Amino acid sequence: MTFEAADRVDSVPPSGIRRFFELAEEMDDIISLGVGEPDFSAPWAAREAAIASLERGQTSYTANRGKRELRERIADYEAATHNLQYDPDEEILVTAGASEGLDLAFRALLNPGDSIAIAQPCYVSYVPGATFAGIDVIDVPTRAEDEFKLTREVLESSGAAEADALVYCYPNNPTGATMTAEEMASVAAFCRENDLLVFADEIYADLTYEHDHTSIATLPGMRERTVVFNGFSKAFAMTGFRLGYAMAPPEAIEAMNRIHQYSMLSAPTTAQHAAIEALDNCRDEVTDMAAQYDRRRKYVLTRFEEMGLDCFPAAGAFYAFPECPWDDAGEFAESLLQEKRVAVVPGTAFGEGGSGHLRVSYATGLDDLKEAMARIESFLN
C-alpha cells in the first residue's frame, strides 16, 4: 500500500500565491509587491523580551489557553483600542497565529456538512480550511463597484442566508477594503435575521487609515454569535513569532480549546513573552508603522491613477487592488515578473471575486516602491 492524499486534501489546489514566489526566487533584481507581511522587523523591545525569556530558561509549555498575563494584556488592549470587552479567563484563547484560530473555529463550532458563507476575494486559507473540516462553502463575491465591501445585496444574492456561518476579513486581504460602522451594521442585521454565526478576521484592524475600525462584535446582538480573530503578525510586524488570539463567548472558546489542547497544546512560549512586552511598550511603534504604510498607500494609489490603472481607494491593511489592464491577470503578472522583475499576485489567487485584478502589497520600502512603480509604468507603455 502506498500513501495517497485524502480526497478532501486532493480536492484543494496548491496556493496560487506560492507559484509566483517560487518563480521570483529563481530571479535576480526582483522587487516583490506580492508578499503579505510587513517589511519592518518586530519591535526591538519585543525581540529583547523573547531573548531574555530564553536566557531565563522559560521554555516550558504554558497553560493551554495561553499565559494568563498575556490574556489580561490582550483584554486590556482590545478594550482600549477596539471597544471589545472579553474575560481573559473564559473568553480569550491564544493561538499559533490567527490562522490556527480560524481552523479551530471551523472544526469546533461547525459540523461536517454545515455550510459557511465566505466573502471573496479572501485570504487563501479560508476555503481550504473549510474544505478540510468537511464544511460546504457558499461563495459571496464582493464587487469592485462596491469597493469590495460586504453588502446586504451580495449576501442575499449569493444565498448566504442559507449558511450556518459567515467568515470575512476587514480590513481586507487582498483588496485593502474597509467597512464603516454603518456598513458593518447592515451586515450585522443580516446575520441576526438569518441566525448566522460570524467569524470576524480582524488581523488588520490597527491598519485602518481613513476611519475608525468597527468590530461587528460591538454591535447590538452580535457579541454572542461572533468569534473575533486577531494577532501580532501584521500591526506588530511579528509574523515569524506565529502568535494570534481568538475572542468569543465562553462556550465557543471552550470548544475551540478542546481541539487546541490536543493538537497544539499551547502557543509558542517565547512568542508569548515577546507579545506581553509588545502590548506593554511597543504601541508607539505600531502607530509609526501604520503612518508609514499610509504614506506608501497614498503614493501607490496616486501612481496607479497617473498610469491610468483603475483602482478604488483602498483604506486598510497594506494592499492595493488595481484592475488588470489585460484580460488574463495571471499572464500579466507572469509577464511583468519576467520582463520587469516586479512580482504582484493575480486576484484569482484569492478566489473568483478577485478575477480581473492584481494584489499589490506596499509593505516594502518607499524607494523600492518608487522603482517598482516606474517598472510597471514602463511595462504598460
Side-chain angles (χ1 to χ4, degrees):
M1 184 174 182
T2 59
F3 289 109
E4 293 183 2
D7 290 343
R8 66 184 181 280
V9 175
D10 207 35
S11 68
V12 174
S15 169
I17 297 177
R18 298 312 313 171
R19 178 170 173 271
F20 285 89
F21 289 169
E22 289 165 1
L23 285 172
E25 286 173 356
E26 299 172 0
M27 300 178 181
D28 297 324
D29 190 30
I30 294 293
I31 300 177
S32 179
L33 307 183
V35 180
E37 70 171 323
D39 60 310
F40 302 105
S41 296
W44 179 246
R47 285 180 276 160
E48 282 193 319
I51 294 167
S53 74
L54 291 171
E55 291 176 335
R56 290 192 298 266
Q58 295 174 312
T59 56
S60 301
Y61 297 126
T62 70
N64 293 139
R65 296 184 182 218
K67 289 178 67 65
R68 190 179 193 282
E69 57 187 307
L70 174 56
R71 286 181 277 127
E72 288 174 340
R73 302 300 202 287
I74 289 168
D76 291 345
Y77 180 74
E78 290 292 344
T81 58
H82 306 133
N83 196 31
L84 290 166
Q85 311 291 330
Y86 287 97
D87 179 356
D89 290 322
E90 302 291 335
E91 297 182 317
I92 296 175
L93 174 64
V94 180
T95 57
S99 293
E100 191 217 348
L102 281 154
D103 178 63
L104 293 174
F106 289 163
R107 292 192 286 155
L109 304 177
L110 296 172
N111 290 306
D114 284 351
S115 60
I116 188 165
I118 300 182
Q120 298 205 31
C122 65
Y123 178 51
V124 294
S125 77
Y126 294 168
V127 174
T131 301
F132 295 150
I135 301 165
D136 297 327
V137 171
I138 297 174
D139 294 328
V140 182
T142 58
R143 304 177 300 196
E145 56 263 37
D146 299 325
E147 297 185 348
F148 295 101
K149 298 173 186 289
L150 189 57
T151 67
R152 173 180 281 272
E153 182 179 352
V154 298
L155 286 164
E156 290 175 345
S157 63
S158 64
E162 302 303 315
D164 297 287
L166 167 70
V167 62
Y168 65 77
C169 175
Y170 285 99
N172 184 258
N173 174 12
T175 66
T178 59
M179 301 273 289
T180 65
E182 182 179 0
E183 291 161 345
M184 193 59 77
S186 177
V187 174
F190 179 89
C191 293
R192 289 193 301 270
E193 291 164 15
N194 294 285
D195 197 24
L196 270 65
L197 300 177
V198 176
F199 300 153
D201 184 349
E202 300 187 4
I203 192 68
Y204 295 97
D206 291 326
L207 302 179
T208 304
Y209 307 114
E210 295 187 358
H211 56 81
D212 291 336
H213 172 76
T214 297
S215 174
I216 198 169
T218 64
L219 301 179
M222 294 308 297
R223 188 185 188 278
E224 58 266 34
R225 67 175 65 247
T226 301
V227 184
V228 179
F229 304 91
N230 209 324
F232 297 87
S233 291
K234 308 302 181 179
F236 285 90
M238 293 171 63
T239 51
F241 284 84
R242 304 310 306 132
L243 202 69
Y245 50 91
M247 301 174 290
E251 59 273 19
I253 293 298
E254 172 60 30
M256 291 166 65
N257 188 47
R258 193 84 55 84
I259 297 176
H260 174 76
Q261 66 188 357
Y262 288 114
S263 62
M264 189 60 65
L265 299 179
S266 62
T269 301
T270 306
Q272 293 190 54
H273 286 284
I276 291 169
E277 181 66 22
L279 291 173
D280 281 349
N281 295 307
C282 300
R283 299 190 194 186
D284 287 345
E285 283 94 326
V286 171
T287 301
D288 291 343
M289 286 187 280
Q292 292 195 53
Y293 289 137
D294 192 24
R295 180 186 175 199
R296 299 171 188 178
R297 176 184 71 94
K298 292 172 181 175
Y299 171 76
V300 167
L301 292 175
T302 297
R303 290 291 284 121
F304 282 154
E305 184 178 8
E306 292 170 352
M307 295 178 209
L309 285 178
D310 288 335
C311 186
F312 80 97
F318 35 62
Y319 308 108
F321 206 61
E323 186 174 322
C324 182
W326 293 11
D327 291 336
D328 189 327
E331 183 180 341
F332 178 93
E334 189 163 340
S335 295
L336 177 65
L337 179 62
Q338 297 284 356
E339 296 183 29
K340 295 297 182 180
R341 300 296 196 263
V342 176
V344 298
V345 181
T348 48
F350 306 94
E352 289 305 311
S355 179
H357 291 77
L358 303 162
R359 189 186 79 170
V360 177
S361 170
Y362 47 83
T364 191
L366 193 56
D367 288 343
D368 279 347
L369 273 179
K370 290 179 177 180
E371 175 61 24
M373 292 298 111
R375 293 184 189 184
I376 293 172
E377 186 170 40
S378 173
F379 180 74
L380 292 173
N381 291 336

